[in-house]
Amino acid sequence: MPGGFAVIHRNGAVLMDDWSSTGLDVEACQEEFRLLHRRLQTIQRIDQDTTALVITLREGLEQGKALVYRDMVQRLSRQRLQLHTELFDTGAQSEDTHVLEFRTLLEKRWCLSTQLADLQSTLEQLDALVRNHLELRTSTLVNALTIYGFPIALITSIFSDNMFQNWDQKSSWLEGIHWPAVIVSGVLVVALTGLLRWISKRNNRARLD
């Protein structure tokens, strides 16, 4: 570098001025070093958080634990936002060619590009996996509500007027119930529920085939 040279190693860098007439821009190099070190710390911190999330997800799936997938999605979104924000904040500040070359060499020595690419790939894959599980659970819930809730709501709405006749005029609430209508409603609910379950299983097998 004009005015001196730099020794870059895994744990940092050493700047040396050669006392020539061309001064070494030490402050600019220090600023770029500080920005890259901050970026490296952010990548490592988010990588540790992501690793912990992967372990939690893996143990939950292996042991059948109930996982809060929605919280995981929000957590991953925050991590990706923090990463993009930090990348923007730690961009190169100097316009000097030699200082930028120092930054580039430092970035290569610390393998920042590789670590960043691996982290971004892990976040994307993990986010897709968690969202798929969340959508699957939501689909299962909607399917259950359709299978069990729809027949009950439908049959009840049809026979509601016949189930309770002159209820307020009876001495006992049991006397006000029209039992044949209740029995017919129950049979229809069971039959319709069974039909919907059969249709659902048939559709699932069709998707797998």
Side-chain angles (χ1 to χ4, degrees):
M1 298 175 62
F5 59 92
V7 179
I8 300 174
H9 54 91
R10 184 179 62 182
N11 297 320
V14 178
L15 296 174
M16 297 185 181
D17 197 326
D18 61 5
W19 299 95
S20 63
S21 58
T22 303
L24 178 63
D25 196 346
V26 177
E27 292 183 358
C29 291
Q30 287 179 330
E31 177 63 15
E32 297 302 330
F33 178 90
R34 185 189 65 80
L35 291 172
L36 283 183
H37 184 256
R38 174 181 163 184
R39 176 178 292 190
L40 176 63
Q41 288 181 319
T42 300
I43 291 175
Q44 292 176 342
R45 184 183 71 252
I46 295 178
D47 183 66
Q48 291 177 353
D49 293 341
T50 304
T51 301
L53 191 58
V54 170
I55 294 175
T56 301
L57 180 61
R58 182 179 61 192
E59 292 179 349
L61 294 176
E62 291 177 352
Q63 301 175 11
K65 294 181 179 179
L67 299 174
V68 186
Y69 291 103
R70 190 173 301 279
D71 290 346
M72 289 186 175
V73 170
Q74 295 176 353
R75 183 175 171 182
L76 286 169
S77 298
R78 287 195 299 267
Q79 289 178 345
R80 297 178 73 173
L81 178 61
Q82 289 175 3
L83 181 60
H84 286 295
T85 302
E86 195 67 16
L87 291 177
F88 177 80
D89 293 341
T90 57
Q93 300 296 317
S94 177
E95 296 181 355
D96 185 276
T97 303
H98 302 290
V99 174
L100 293 178
E101 183 179 1
F102 165 76
R103 177 188 170 100
T104 300
L105 293 174
L106 184 61
E107 188 174 357
K108 289 181 179 179
R109 184 65 182 86
W110 287 349
C111 300
L112 276 177
S113 298
T114 302
Q115 293 185 60
L116 177 60
D118 291 342
L119 177 58
Q120 288 177 328
S121 177
T122 301
L123 287 173
E124 290 178 0
Q125 294 177 11
L126 189 58
D127 183 71
L129 178 63
V130 172
R131 288 182 183 275
N132 286 338
H133 279 281
L134 179 60
E135 292 175 359
L136 179 61
R137 291 188 61 183
T138 303
S139 176
T140 302
L141 177 60
V142 172
N143 193 33
L145 290 175
T146 302
I147 291 176
Y148 298 103
F150 174 71
I152 295 175
L154 178 62
I155 302 303
T156 302
S157 64
I158 294 176
F159 289 93
S160 59
D161 294 336
N162 297 321
M163 286 184 186
F164 307 100
Q165 297 179 346
N166 301 323
W167 201 9
D168 56 343
Q169 301 177 6
K170 303 295 182 179
S171 59
S172 174
W173 66 273
L174 291 175
E175 296 179 4
I177 298 178
H178 192 269
W179 291 106
V182 172
I183 294 174
V184 172
S185 300
V187 172
L188 290 177
V189 167
V190 173
L192 187 55
T193 300
L195 177 62
L196 291 176
R197 289 189 63 182
W198 177 79
I199 294 174
S200 177
K201 291 181 179 179
R202 184 179 179 182
N203 291 337
N204 290 336
R205 284 197 294 266
R207 292 193 190 100
L208 292 176
D209 296 338

